[in-house]
Amino acid sequence: MRKIGVLTSGGDSPGMNAAIRAVVRKAIYHDVEVFGIYNGYQGLIDGNIQQMDIGSVGDIIQRGGTILYTARSDEFRTEEGREKAIQQLNKFGIEGLIVIGGDGSFRGAEKLTQKGYPCIGVPGTIDNDIPGTDFTIGFDTALNTVIEAIDKIRDTATSHERTYVVEVMGRHAGDIALWAGLADGAESILIPEHADEFEDVIERLKRGKDRGKKHSIIVLAEGVGSGMEFGQRIKDATKLETRVTVLGHTQRGGSPTASDRVLASRLGAKAVDLLLAGQAGRVVGIQNNKLVDHDILEILDEKHVVDFEMYQLSKQLSI
Ligand code: ADP
């Protein structure tokens, strides 16, 4: 394989740049030409493609977002759209592709692999919802953004003796909420995997109120529902003064943490190794601090599971 491409697709996450840098430099190290595809699969269809050199990825390891931009492409979901994408791959002589993104992006990668254009997926999403890896690129940074915000909210919650519902991202996964809740000593955590525990949250708040506790933090994963709605329900049920903060897209930005930069560098380089070794349709990951790779179809079939022990621990520590 002499020419490969790299793109970022779907939701962005801090550390994607570090992954792009690793892909480009590792490929060049092995005398392979690398092409950056801008705006995800839509850019591939449109031929928005440029050759990358060592300098083109300089000074980006510390930057959030993605220098290749990202997009969602409905056209790529169609057979005709993918044919156009393949024409561009042929035009540039790109033989294999590294796709940095989430599960949606991996579905696209699987389709290209089936057509004879080997793809390797690199899990880049703040949600930590990709099976086959303990961590996804961007999760640690998002988590740190969340705990910094909650620390600040706790100061004012304590001063004013209020209950705060903090809505965090994570799509259908509760990882950000669970880890942030544990790291912040939140009084309660509500995650989609255990969404039926709302009554338990109310009971805990009431017990706390009876003990004279006047401030609480409840971390709510967006997959459970809207913070505003839950804030109102909590207020109605407990009569506690309740405020809601929706952290929103601040969680997607910022300079990646050291952990995310290292993870992105390792996973990006591993993806190049696989492609050059003739592998196709794999997703790289990290499990017990060892680099691993799995069949892309297995990853798409599996469901991400939240750590139940950690969930129980968070409850035990927040009585
Ligand atoms: P993420 O990768 O973050 O999960 P999306 O689910 O939005 O993000 O997927 C990103 C892009 O991947 C989509 O806009 C689309 O172009 C492509 N994609 C997703 N699912 C498919 C599919 N089933 N077939 C082909 N392409 C897909």
Side-chain angles (χ1 to χ4, degrees):
M1 198 169 279
R2 303 297 347 139
K3 292 183 184 182
I4 67 167
V6 56
L7 60 81
T8 49
S9 167
D12 65 342
S13 71
M16 279 186 162
N17 279 329
I20 295 167
R21 174 181 177 271
V23 168
V24 170
R25 297 244 166 122
K26 190 79 193 306
I28 292 173
Y29 175 83
H30 290 297
D31 287 327
V32 169
E33 289 180 46
V34 202
F35 291 81
I37 297 155
Y38 290 80
N39 294 104
Y41 291 121
Q42 193 55 48
L44 181 56
I45 291 170
D46 299 338
N48 195 353
I49 300 169
Q50 267 174 30
Q51 187 163 359
M52 313 285 280
D53 59 22
I54 288 179
S56 62
V57 290
D59 201 23
I60 65 166
I61 196 166
Q62 77 283 15
R63 279 163 56 192
T66 157
I67 59 159
L68 291 178
Y69 303 98
T70 180
R72 294 199 157 94
S73 169
D74 286 333
E75 201 179 352
F76 191 77
R77 291 175 186 271
T78 67
E79 197 65 45
E80 304 80 65
R82 288 196 294 276
E83 275 310 315
K84 285 191 205 165
I86 286 170
Q87 280 167 22
Q88 294 293 347
L89 290 174
N90 293 338
K91 184 174 147 195
F92 284 85
I94 299 170
E95 297 155 276
L97 207 56
I98 291 173
V99 173
I100 306 165
D103 56 350
S105 304
F106 296 163
R107 281 185 200 284
E110 211 282 312
K111 298 251 162 76
L112 279 181
T113 302
Q114 273 177 20
K115 294 271 183 190
Y117 295 83
C119 294
I120 306 290
V122 176
T125 163
I126 63 165
D127 304 327
N128 210 40
D129 60 350
I130 307 289
T133 188
D134 295 341
F135 300 107
T136 58
I137 298 166
F139 172 65
D140 187 63
T141 307
L143 192 56
N144 279 281
T145 302
V146 170
I147 65 164
E148 206 182 308
I150 296 181
D151 286 348
K152 289 175 181 166
I153 290 167
R154 189 178 280 288
D155 287 345
T156 179
T158 312
S159 310
H160 280 272
E161 303 189 319
R162 282 176 184 149
T163 298
Y164 266 85
V165 175
V166 184
E167 183 193 311
V168 302
M169 283 185 165
R171 286 213 304 179
H172 307 295
D175 288 53
I176 294 180
L178 175 57
W179 284 66
L182 191 56
D184 257 309
E187 277 68 21
S188 286
I189 298 166
L190 265 172
I191 57 175
E193 295 85 347
H194 300 279
D196 54 345
E197 304 240 339
F198 179 72
E199 283 311 316
D200 183 57
V201 172
I202 299 298
E203 283 314 308
R204 283 160 166 271
L205 284 170
K206 283 183 177 163
R207 278 205 306 270
K209 191 179 173 189
D210 291 345
R211 285 204 325 264
K213 189 176 173 70
K214 295 199 178 84
H215 62 270
S216 291
I217 303 277
I218 297 142
V219 183
L220 173 80
E222 66 177 350
V224 180
S226 123
M228 291 299 170
E229 185 202 319
F230 273 84
Q232 191 59 48
R233 282 174 63 187
I234 287 168
K235 197 172 173 178
D236 292 345
T238 63
K239 310 290 178 238
L240 285 162
E241 195 182 347
T242 308
R243 294 282 192 278
V244 177
T245 301
V246 180
L247 295 184
H249 283 80
T250 53
Q251 294 162 89
R252 289 258 283 263
S255 177
T257 59
S259 281
D260 271 331
R261 296 181 201 191
V262 171
L263 178 66
S265 300
R266 293 176 75 188
L267 293 184
K270 168 90 177 170
V272 173
D273 283 342
L274 290 178
L275 211 46
L276 299 189
Q279 298 276 334
R282 311 289 295 174
V283 175
V284 294
I286 191 158
Q287 286 174 322
N288 302 320
N289 203 26
K290 293 268 179 297
L291 295 179
V292 293
D293 58 283
H294 300 279
D295 190 285
I296 211 163
L297 284 173
E298 265 173 43
I299 298 296
L300 292 174
D301 277 350
E302 235 178 88
K303 206 176 157 344
H304 166 72
V305 198
V306 80
D307 190 324
F308 185 60
E309 256 179 48
M310 256 180 73
Y311 178 69
Q312 282 187 314
L313 179 65
S314 75
K315 291 183 87 163
Q316 289 161 3
L317 299 187
S318 65
I319 35 173

